Amino acid sequence: MRAVVLDRQVHLESNRPEPIPAEGEVLVRVRCAGVCETDLQLIKGYMGFRGVLGHEFVGIAESGAYAGRRVVGEINCACWRCGTCLGGLPTHCPNRTVLGILNHDGAFADLIAVPERNLHLVPDALSNDVAVFTEPVAAACQIPAQVAIGRQARVVVLGDGRLGNLCAQVLSGLSDNVLTIGKHPEKLAILRTMGIATALLPEVTAEPMADIVVDCTGSESGLPTALSLVRPRGTVVLKTTVAGAQTMPWAPLVIDEVTLVGSRCGPFDKALAALADGRVLVAPLVSDRFDLARGVEALERAQTKSALKVLLDVS
Ligand SMILES: [Zn+2]
Ligand SMILES: [Zn+2]
């Protein structure tokens, strides 16, 4: 099969052996996959991953209870036997693999093996181009699963990229005071068409007033900027994972008694519901699409400043 593989560098393999499903796994024939900031960080060395990239996908299950049907898949492959799993936190299983991120081949390929219990049926009304956003929308839905957000909460989303846009949309369904701060006028313009207030980063000089700041910058400058915007006793939600070491003064966190919340993968059922009822719009985010055979080019394109979501057509 074809696959976009990361080893010393990213390349296309056209004769990679098909994945062999482990116990409890089924093969999914990928139809569409999305490029995410995490893929770009993996290429820079994050997690030291080697293998087939890609964790955002929609495809057709080849066997099992969903055989022949369209599915999306949660990315954490848990053991379901350890104390963490039995305690109800399988996404934190210490024995887990993660599709396209940790010791498990991913979705930039004709076929991917996925634990059957990770699969979710895609409603017929959702196109592949929309369903492929389930994983990142779920990540955005994880924020209200971790932090209470009231109607009056002053929320700042830092970052106008792929994830920042989705977080801003999800959070503006909960709070009437969401402001997205970014560096790209054309990306902020997309958010304004969705009715979300925006500001250009250099123009922000306000005193720290936000109750909640969500860092979706994908940059090591995100957390220091977030701390300059959050009010004392406020909350900073970190969505950014950056390859390599980060250094910053931690004293402001102590002085302002800021709560720092790391936030990662989220609920697929909530994401599918938000996509199905139009609370989250994703079509405006698709900036480019490439055939899987041009996957290396797609990853290069996703690294450029003007790109938003780059999709890979696999069929
Ligand atoms: Zn992702
Ligand atoms: Zn486990």
Side-chain angles (χ1 to χ4, degrees):
M1 67 168 189
R2 302 170 301 166
V4 177
V5 178
L6 173 65
D7 41 42
R8 273 192 215 117
Q9 56 187 27
V10 187
H11 63 280
L12 180 81
E13 287 186 16
S14 47
N15 267 316
R16 192 173 175 92
E18 292 185 357
I20 298 163
E23 192 194 335
E25 288 186 343
V26 298
L27 288 181
V28 174
R29 190 160 291 279
V30 180
R31 303 304 300 271
C32 185
V35 178
C36 154
E37 179 61 31
T38 304
D39 301 312
L40 307 180
Q41 292 295 330
L42 291 170
I43 293 169
K44 292 179 187 165
Y46 172 61
M47 304 285 290
F49 177 73
R50 293 288 177 268
V52 180
L53 286 166
H55 57 275
E56 301 177 2
F57 66 95
V58 55
I60 311 277
E62 295 260 290
S63 61
Y66 299 136
R69 314 209 39 202
R70 258 178 347 134
V71 292
V72 289
E74 296 189 41
I75 68 174
N76 296 284
C77 310
C79 78
W80 296 100
R81 284 190 279 268
C82 72
T84 305
C85 285
L86 297 175
L89 291 175
T91 59
H92 291 279
C93 172
N95 307 315
R96 73 185 180 277
T97 63
V98 185
L99 305 182
I101 295 175
L102 177 67
N103 295 328
H104 196 302
D105 277 343
F108 296 165
D110 288 306
L111 290 161
I112 179 176
V114 186
E116 188 169 8
R117 64 190 302 167
N118 287 29
L119 297 178
H120 295 254
L121 272 182
V122 175
D124 289 341
L126 283 193
S127 69
N128 287 341
D129 289 8
V130 173
V132 74
F133 281 86
T134 306
E135 198 276 336
V137 172
C141 292
Q142 180 67 358
I143 299 168
Q146 292 177 283
V147 179
I149 298 172
R151 272 279 146 215
Q152 306 307 318
R154 292 161 301 184
V155 179
V156 169
V157 176
L158 272 182
D160 52 19
R162 297 168 271 263
L163 187 58
N165 182 299
L166 296 175
C167 289
Q169 290 194 64
V170 166
L171 298 178
S172 60
L174 299 165
S175 161
D176 295 328
N177 286 296
V178 176
L179 172 70
T180 302
I181 299 175
K183 290 180 177 173
H184 309 93
E186 67 293 347
K187 295 182 184 177
L188 293 171
I190 294 173
L191 282 153
R192 283 197 301 279
T193 66
M194 297 167 167
I196 296 166
T198 68
L200 259 180
L201 184 58
E203 291 168 0
V204 177
T205 51
E207 61 180 299
M209 287 296 285
D211 300 306
I212 299 163
V213 182
V214 181
D215 172 25
C216 300
T217 58
S219 151
E220 38 205 283
S221 65
L223 179 53
T225 307
L227 287 173
S228 74
L229 295 168
V230 73
R231 68 165 168 80
R233 297 263 172 104
T235 299
V236 171
V237 179
L238 276 183
K239 279 289 187 188
T240 289
T241 47
V242 180
Q246 289 163 271
T247 52
M248 60 163 284
W250 294 98
L253 267 160
V254 177
I255 294 164
D256 291 332
E257 301 185 325
V258 170
T259 300
L260 191 57
V261 178
S263 178
R264 182 167 46 94
C265 300
F268 267 45
D269 52 350
K270 291 208 162 54
L272 283 165
L275 289 167
D277 66 20
R279 262 176 295 148
V280 174
L281 302 174
V282 295
L285 272 72
V286 179
S287 62
D288 303 86
R289 55 194 319 148
F290 292 82
D291 188 85
L292 176 65
R294 292 170 65 203
V296 175
E297 212 179 312
L299 287 161
E300 283 164 6
R301 170 64 184 141
Q303 286 174 53
T304 61
K305 291 274 175 235
S306 61
L308 264 170
K309 184 57 91 181
V310 176
L311 296 183
L312 282 176
D313 288 311
V314 187
S315 47

